[in-house]
Amino acid sequence: MDRLSTTVRPYAWGSTTAIPELLGTAPTGEPQAEMWMGAHPGAPSRVTRPTPEGDREQPLNEVIAADPERELGPATVARFGPHLPFLLKILAAEAPLSLQVHPDPARAEAGHAAEERAGIPLDAPHRNYKDPHHKPELICALTPFEGFCGFRDPVRTADLLAALDVDSLKPYVDLLHAHPEDAALREVLTAVLTADPEGIAATVHDTAAACARLGGAHAPYATLAHHHPGDRGVLAALLLNHVRLQPGEALYLGAGVPHAYLGGLGVEIMANSDNVLRCGLTPKHVDVPELLRVVRFEAGDPGVLRPEASPSGEEVYETPADEFRLSRYVRPEGAAPVDLTAPTPQILLATAGAPRLGDLTLTPGHSVFVPAGEDVALSGSGTLFRATAVA
């Protein structure tokens, strides 16, 4: 097993204090948004391995590429190819992230192939599909966590908008009462995303003022507008469920589900992909026609996940994703050791206490990579998250 040396991404929406508090280090004054644990080429973790010249720190993606079957196991390589199929993160949001969706596997493959044929550079700002993979993801709260996820029932949204008493919202209110509901949601989102920029900015301004005045269920949207004044994404977010997670609760975000995180600290796991289609709350490219092809216009409950412990103490967050499986152990003093040996690669992350893996003690925010099939036993007390692929 290898202790991971990780990279923290300094995105502007990140908290200046949450990750340092978890690690027990002094804040730098700069935002620290995401700590990446895995083999993504954008910011791979590093491990120390022996070389002919002695022990040397190496990027995990290069270690895996040198011997994928040894590191990942034959079953993982056969199913997902010679790369780690998931990326684990600690995410610390102090300001809203962009409103976005992810494609399903078929759309990701087709979109990537089309952009490759068109010769669009991977780093082009208008590129949608940087790889041919989908990007399901799961966020598990470490602190109270807020976000938006999936479409609210259109009639309830119509009531929320009507209560604001903003004249320019009234056409949307009427559309939301139409049937069927998927067509109503599509028509309203399309109208918001294609409206005249000056007109929609004025509507956002009036809507934000009304949300701030009314407070309550409207307050989160005033927060969005404070961070993104005039952004049409504020109106798009008004179509979505506002979700509050308590520590230990989680959200699964499948293909086509619009979502945005508002604030909090959490453990996030996702398929190892960069494919994101944005619909607002960002200065980055918004491809409206492609976005509307990908969004699933289905209203419903966002589905907060609350795991139950197995006899071994493992609490699993069940999702339909194959690329990852996330679970955790919350261990009291004196808990019996647990064998964590698995035929797939693992990343193990401590978030509280001092869990031990063999003779290695992990403190909060620190993690290890365990190659497939390597013996590993968990002892000690604290909270340990376990990320694996589905065998």
Side-chain angles (χ1 to χ4, degrees):
M1 126 182 65
D2 302 277
R3 187 186 288 272
L4 292 178
S5 175
T6 57
T7 297
V8 176
R9 308 308 293 265
Y11 305 134
W13 49 261
S15 169
T16 58
T17 59
I19 288 178
E21 285 177 1
L22 180 69
L23 295 172
T25 59
T28 64
E30 299 297 320
Q32 297 186 39
E34 294 181 346
M35 177 187 291
W36 288 22
M37 291 156 282
H40 191 287
S45 300
R46 297 171 301 282
V47 298
T48 299
R49 290 286 181 90
T51 72
E53 294 77 31
D55 289 352
R56 183 169 65 88
E57 194 173 69
Q58 305 169 61
L60 182 57
N61 58 328
E62 294 181 9
V63 169
I64 290 172
D67 195 346
E69 289 213 352
R70 176 181 180 275
E71 303 296 337
L72 305 178
T76 299
V77 173
R79 188 166 192 182
F80 303 109
H83 61 269
L84 188 66
F86 61 84
L87 176 64
L88 187 67
K89 300 179 180 180
I90 294 175
L91 182 147
E94 195 167 278
L97 280 67
S98 63
L99 184 60
Q100 58 189 255
V101 297
H102 306 301
D104 63 21
R107 188 63 212 138
E109 185 173 355
H112 179 261
E115 292 183 338
E116 288 290 283
R117 287 194 301 270
I120 301 173
L122 281 175
D123 59 354
H126 62 289
R127 176 103 188 205
N128 292 319
Y129 298 102
K130 296 184 179 181
D131 57 68
H133 307 296
H134 69 155
K135 192 186 179 187
E137 61 188 42
L138 177 82
I139 183 75
C140 178
L142 294 178
T143 66
F145 196 97
E146 283 190 79
F148 304 93
C149 177
F151 289 106
R152 188 190 298 105
D153 175 83
V155 174
R156 288 177 51 218
T157 296
D159 292 342
L160 192 75
L161 296 185
L164 295 170
D165 196 27
V166 173
D167 286 344
S168 53
L169 292 179
K170 290 177 181 177
Y172 302 145
V173 173
D174 293 339
L175 287 171
L176 289 167
H177 283 294
H179 293 284
E181 69 176 24
D182 59 342
L185 290 168
R186 177 182 289 275
E187 194 163 352
V188 173
L189 184 62
T190 302
V192 167
L193 295 178
T194 58
D196 170 72
E198 288 188 9
I200 203 71
T203 298
V204 172
H205 178 271
D206 294 344
T207 299
C211 286
R213 183 179 68 252
L214 289 178
H218 298 87
Y221 306 98
T223 299
L224 288 184
H226 171 74
H227 288 281
H228 297 278
D231 192 308
R232 64 188 70 219
V234 175
L235 301 184
L238 274 160
L239 303 174
L240 308 183
N241 296 292
H242 174 232
V243 184
R244 288 188 176 94
L245 300 178
Q246 296 304 311
E249 295 180 335
L251 278 177
Y252 174 73
L253 302 159
V257 177
H259 60 278
Y261 300 147
L262 185 56
L265 181 70
V267 173
E268 186 180 39
I269 190 168
M270 63 192 63
N272 205 355
S273 169
D274 277 332
N275 290 326
V276 174
L277 290 146
R278 296 174 178 85
C279 27
L281 309 180
T282 177
K284 294 182 179 179
H285 176 62
V286 176
D287 184 336
V288 174
E290 185 63 21
L291 175 73
L292 294 173
R293 294 182 68 175
V294 169
V295 172
R296 290 172 52 193
F297 290 95
E298 299 175 4
D301 185 278
V304 174
L305 299 178
R306 300 175 182 88
E308 293 186 9
S310 68
S312 70
E314 185 178 27
E315 301 176 345
V316 180
Y317 294 91
E318 297 286 357
T319 79
D322 291 332
E323 289 83 357
F324 62 77
R325 175 182 182 273
L326 185 70
S327 62
R328 70 172 186 171
Y329 291 84
V330 182
R331 294 173 52 83
E333 290 285 350
V338 178
D339 183 15
L340 300 187
T341 306
T344 61
Q346 305 182 70
I347 291 179
L348 306 175
L349 164 69
T351 59
R356 293 193 301 277
L357 303 168
D359 56 6
L360 177 64
T361 299
L362 290 184
T363 53
H366 292 89
S367 56
V368 298
F369 171 73
V370 185
E374 183 169 312
D375 291 341
V376 58
L378 170 64
S379 61
S381 61
T383 300
L384 185 89
F385 279 83
R386 184 188 195 193
T388 63
V390 176

